[in-house]
C-alpha cells in the first residue's frame, strides 16, 4: 500500500544519530543521504525518509500520528527502545512490554517529536 513514509526534521545530523541507533537495534543499516539532502533508511522492503521541510518552515510532529516499526522479537523491541532513549529519544506512554494480545510494544518520540512505535508479533 505504501511506498514510503517521509517525516520532517530540523536537524538531520541529530536525526541520523537517533535513527541509525534504533534501526541498528532491529538489524537495519545506517541511513544514507541522497542527492537532494534527504536521509533514507531501507529495511525489509520498507523505506523511511527524513528531510528538512521543502517550504522552509520548521518541521513539526504530526498531532495524532504514529509511525509503527516492525520488530522481529520482544528483545528487538527492548533494544530499539534502549537505543532510542540513549540517542535523544523520549520514552512515552506505557513502558515497553507485552500487550493483552501477546505483542510486545514500545513507544518513543524522536528528537523532533515524531511519535514512533516498535512492535513484535504476538507470541501466543
Amino acid at each position: 500500500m505504501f511506498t514510503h513514509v517521509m517525516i520532517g526534521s530540523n536537524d538531520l545530523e541529530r536525526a541520523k544519530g537517533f535513527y541509525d541507533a534504533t534501526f541498528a537495534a532491529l538489524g537495519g543499516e545506517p541511513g544514507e543521504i541522497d542527492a537532494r539532502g534527504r536521509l533514507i533508511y531501507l529495511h525489509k522492503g520498507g523505506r523511511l525518509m527524513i528531510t528538512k521541510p521543502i517550504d522552509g518552515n520548521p518541521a513539526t510532529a504530526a498531532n495524532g500520528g504514529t509511525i509503527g516499526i516492525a520488530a522481529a522479537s520482544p528483545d528487538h523491541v527492548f533494544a530499539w527502545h534502549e537505543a532510542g532513549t540513549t540517542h535523544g529519544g523520549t520514552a512515552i506512554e506505557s513502558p515497553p512490554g507485552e500487550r493483552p494480545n501477546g505483542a510486545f510494544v514500545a513507544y518513543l518520540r524522536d528528537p523532533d517529536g515524531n511519535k514512533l512505535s516498535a512492535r513484535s508479533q504476538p507470541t501466543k
Side-chain angles (χ1 to χ4, degrees):
M1 178 184 289
F2 302 107
T3 60
H4 65 280
V5 172
M6 172 117 35
I7 57 174
S9 175
N10 294 305
D11 185 337
L12 290 177
E13 185 174 319
R14 180 183 66 185
K16 187 171 185 340
F18 174 85
Y19 284 101
D20 280 1
T22 57
F23 280 120
L26 299 175
E29 299 293 324
E32 301 277 334
I33 302 287
D34 74 1
R36 295 173 62 184
R38 301 173 300 188
L39 180 56
I40 300 175
Y41 291 88
L42 304 172
H43 187 63
K44 296 187 178 184
R47 180 182 294 208
L48 175 66
M49 302 170 72
I50 304 163
T51 187
K52 289 190 175 205
I54 61 173
D55 66 4
N57 290 316
T60 58
N63 185 18
T66 302
I67 298 170
I69 299 168
S73 70
D75 288 341
H76 283 104
V77 171
F78 288 113
W80 174 87
H81 192 265
E82 175 67 25
T85 56
T86 301
H87 290 87
T90 304
I92 59 171
E93 298 191 17
S94 57
E98 187 173 9
R99 297 302 190 256
N101 69 353
F104 274 75
V105 180
Y107 289 92
L108 293 171
R109 287 207 182 268
D110 75 5
D112 287 289
N114 296 295
K115 185 177 175 185
L116 309 169
S117 173
R119 175 186 179 97
S120 69
Q121 294 297 318
T123 57
K124 296 178 181 176

